[in-house]
Every structure is written in C-alpha cells, then in structure tokens.
Amino acid sequence: RDIPVVLEHFAAPNDEFSQLTVAPWPNMDGARNPDLRRPSSAGLRRPLSAPRDPNSLNCFTKFPPRSGSRNEIPKAEESGGVRAIFGRRQALVFPRSDWQPKKADGLPPESSLHRNYVYGFNGGCRKSVHFISETEIVYPVASLVVVLDVHSNQQRFFEGHTNDVCCVAWNEENRLCISGQQDVKGSGGPKACIWSPDDVSKPLCELEHPGNARMVTAVGLSPDARTAITLTNDDMHTFYIWRAASSRGVKGGLTQSYSESSGRQASFSLYMGPGVGAASASTLSFTTVGENHFKHWRIEFGAGSAPIVKQKKGVFGKCAVPKSPTDWVWRDTYPADGSAWLSGDNGHVYFA
C-alpha cells in the first residue's frame, strides 16, 4: 500500500501546495519496504502527547529532496515516479495526476527575507548602550548595532560588521558612533567602524586591525573626531592610535599612526568626556577600565614625530580592590577637575 508523505517547502506566494505520494519499492512478498521508515535526519518529531497514526508519516527533512542537478527538473522513471533523496534515503516520488512540470520549478524561488525587528542584546559588552537623543538609543546585537526609538519602537540597523560587535562608543559633539568587533575566520583581522546614526547605510571609515588582534575590546573617538583609539585582545593587549589623514576628518579616512602594548591586563572600556577628552589640539586624555585595574592616559602629538604616550595606573590604596571595575563616570563640573566615580564588581563605588 502507498504511504502518504506531506512535504513542507518554501514557496512563493503564488505557488500551490501539492501533496505527493511515496510508493514502496516492489518486494516479492509485498511487505512494507524498510527504506520508507522515518529518516533519522528529519528535523521535527511528533509530540509525545499526539496520537500516532501508523498509516501516515509527516516528513520534514532538513535536506531538501534533490535528484541530479539543482537547476534541472529530475527525470521521471517509466512508472512516472522520480527518485528523490530524503535525508540519506532514496524513494520514488509520484506527482499529482494534474501536475504539469515547469522549468522554473527546478530553480530556487525568487524570494528574500526582510528584517522586521531584532530582539536581544550583547550583554557582555560594557558601556555599549548610549542615548543619542531624547528618544533614541544605540546598542549591539550580534553583528548589528541597533538604533531604537523608544517612543515609536522603530529600529534602524547598522550592518557594517562581519562578526559579533564587542564595544560601542558615542561621540556627542559630532553625532558619530564607533564600534568594534570580533575577529573573522581566515587571515583577516577584526575592525572598528565609524558611522553616523543619521545614516546607517554605510560606515564613514573602517579601521582594519591585524589578524592576531582577535577582537577589539574598547574604542573611543576624540571630541573633534580626528583621532580614534582602539584596544585589542592579543597577547600584548595592543592599543592603536588612528589619526585623520586630511582636513576632511573622518570622511577623509583615519590612518594608523601608532601602536604599542597596553600592559598585561585587558581593557574592556574607554571613557573620553568633554572638557577632559582634549585639553588642546596637541593633547588627548582618556581613562580605560579593565581587568583588576583602571588607568589614565595622556597622549601628546608632535609635528612630524611619533606621539608621546603616558600611562598612569590607578591605585586603590586601603579601599577594597574589585576584581574588575565595571564603570567610570566623569564628574560634570566646570571647569573640569579630572575627578570621576568608579564602580566595581564587588558592589563598591569609588571616587577618583
């Protein structure tokens, strides 16, 4: 007897659903062919609470039926059936009597998926949620950076990354974002992208890192958007200084001007604030927070010479030392005195 099999396939809106019949291989004793048992590669299974029907088999295979070339309609046997492979087993498939083959049936459907909404958040990223206006925030999800309007619940997506986003920073003065990602498979390394939330279609600038960098752990953009700082997770925890190559600033591209080891401990976030981030056009100051430490940086740029980088590691003194500081907030004072609040994973809040 024939065993009806219902095949689920991705179809264009105008296609009709067809029910096909699988016939057993002919046996001398007429016994049921064991090759028609459910393949082990079938993706969906019958719920335990559902009744079993011994005369039917709902077959949803993770491998689509194929026979011969993908772009050709399979040739029919003398009996009218077509040999098809379900998972790892072959079977004869008979079409409906009123079905007429078309050449287009052997081609992939001309359909595409449109991203409607993205759920989730890269919770391992520090300092990665930013308000960019009264109603909009930016945050990373997988390899995307989402721009969400919290009032209308509408999303826009920056899609310039090729792997999971690890860090996001916001430059309020120029309305620019800079985001870093993990390494990609192959010889290429991770990259950081500078882009505008007002136009998420393409990045303004891409900062390519070497293959041994593994991932970009922290990023920052100077208040004038002419200098970018990136830190990576290689064995030396290298930091990179990127400077504008022309008077166009970011739009003209940034080039790597300096790189050096940042120490034995990884840095997870970088904090650059107005009034503290740039004392003048020739100096740049910022703070990094990472594994068992916080550190203040000062970079002096000279005309035609390599920049002078000064690092000063913070000391907790008699205070309880956190295993990993989690956040840093500059005091909103004028004039800026360089003081800030620091929080740790031990529940303590520090004044630095």
Side-chain angles (χ1 to χ4, degrees):
R1 61 186 177 182
D2 294 344
I3 302 176
V5 175
V6 179
L7 303 178
E8 180 178 278
H9 65 285
F10 184 84
N14 296 330
D15 287 354
E16 295 182 357
F17 182 80
S18 301
Q19 179 171 340
L20 308 181
T21 305
V22 176
W25 298 101
N27 293 332
M28 295 298 294
D29 55 357
R32 184 173 178 177
N33 188 350
D35 286 343
L36 290 177
R37 292 176 296 179
R38 179 182 179 87
S40 59
S41 61
L44 300 179
R45 300 181 182 275
R46 178 183 61 84
L48 296 177
S49 59
R52 173 183 291 275
D53 185 359
N55 297 323
S56 63
L57 177 65
N58 292 329
C59 181
F60 301 92
T61 61
K62 65 179 180 180
F63 301 104
R66 64 183 185 271
S67 177
S69 176
R70 291 185 177 182
N71 297 328
E72 297 180 358
I73 298 178
K75 296 181 180 180
E77 302 285 338
E78 295 182 358
S79 59
V82 176
R83 292 186 182 273
I85 299 177
F86 298 90
R88 298 181 180 179
R89 300 183 182 273
Q90 287 189 355
L92 277 177
V93 179
F94 290 87
R96 269 181 9 180
S97 58
D98 58 347
W99 178 73
Q100 297 295 328
K102 300 178 182 179
K103 187 175 181 180
D105 292 341
L107 301 176
E110 296 180 359
S111 302
S112 60
L113 299 178
H114 174 70
R115 184 185 299 109
N116 185 31
Y117 201 91
V118 173
Y119 297 87
F121 169 67
N122 289 1
C125 303
R126 299 189 183 183
K127 193 202 168 190
S128 56
V129 180
H130 304 273
F131 267 95
I132 62 175
S133 70
E134 293 294 331
T135 62
E136 289 185 321
I137 60 175
V138 295
Y139 58 92
V141 180
S143 61
L144 302 174
V145 183
V146 179
V147 182
L148 171 66
D149 189 313
V150 295
H151 284 184
S152 63
N153 201 28
Q154 298 295 316
Q155 292 181 333
R156 303 192 305 275
F157 312 103
F158 174 70
E159 305 177 11
H161 289 285
T162 55
N163 208 338
D164 288 352
V165 178
C166 307
C167 49
V168 179
W170 165 242
N171 183 289
E172 185 175 0
E173 291 79 4
N174 297 272
R175 288 194 57 81
L176 294 175
C177 287
I178 177 172
S179 50
Q181 68 169 64
Q182 288 186 357
D183 190 8
V184 294
K185 292 182 179 181
S187 59
K191 66 179 179 179
C193 297
I194 302 176
W195 51 280
S196 171
D198 300 324
D199 182 12
V200 296
S201 60
K202 60 181 180 180
L204 299 174
C205 180
E206 292 186 351
L207 312 178
E208 299 286 348
H209 294 72
N212 64 340
R214 298 176 187 162
M215 62 184 294
V216 179
T217 58
V219 291
L221 195 61
S222 64
D224 60 0
R226 295 183 59 84
T227 304
I229 307 294
T230 60
L231 293 100
T232 59
N233 196 32
D234 56 4
D235 294 337
M236 301 296 291
H237 301 118
T238 307
F239 74 94
Y240 297 82
I241 301 176
W242 310 79
R243 297 278 284 173
S246 65
S247 58
R248 298 180 59 195
V250 174
K251 295 182 179 179
L254 302 182
T255 58
Q256 179 185 332
S257 63
Y258 188 81
S259 65
E260 186 182 347
S261 172
S262 65
R264 294 181 297 176
Q265 298 166 318
S267 298
F268 301 135
S269 52
L270 186 150
Y271 299 85
M272 198 177 301
V276 181
S280 67
S282 60
T283 62
L284 182 66
S285 300
F286 57 91
T287 296
T288 57
V289 172
E291 182 181 356
N292 297 321
H293 80 282
F294 68 96
K295 188 182 298 184
H296 185 70
W297 300 68
R298 182 180 175 87
I299 303 176
E300 299 177 359
F301 300 99
S305 60
I308 300 175
V309 180
K310 299 179 181 179
Q311 307 180 33
K312 189 175 182 181
K313 191 174 181 180
V315 179
F316 288 93
K318 297 182 180 180
C319 301
V321 180
K323 184 177 181 181
S324 179
T326 57
D327 203 0
W328 178 279
V329 180
W330 294 106
R331 288 185 64 192
D332 187 12
T333 58
Y334 183 83
D337 58 1
S339 59
W341 296 99
L342 172 68
S343 62
D345 58 357
N346 58 356
H348 290 223
V349 177
Y350 305 86
F351 179 71

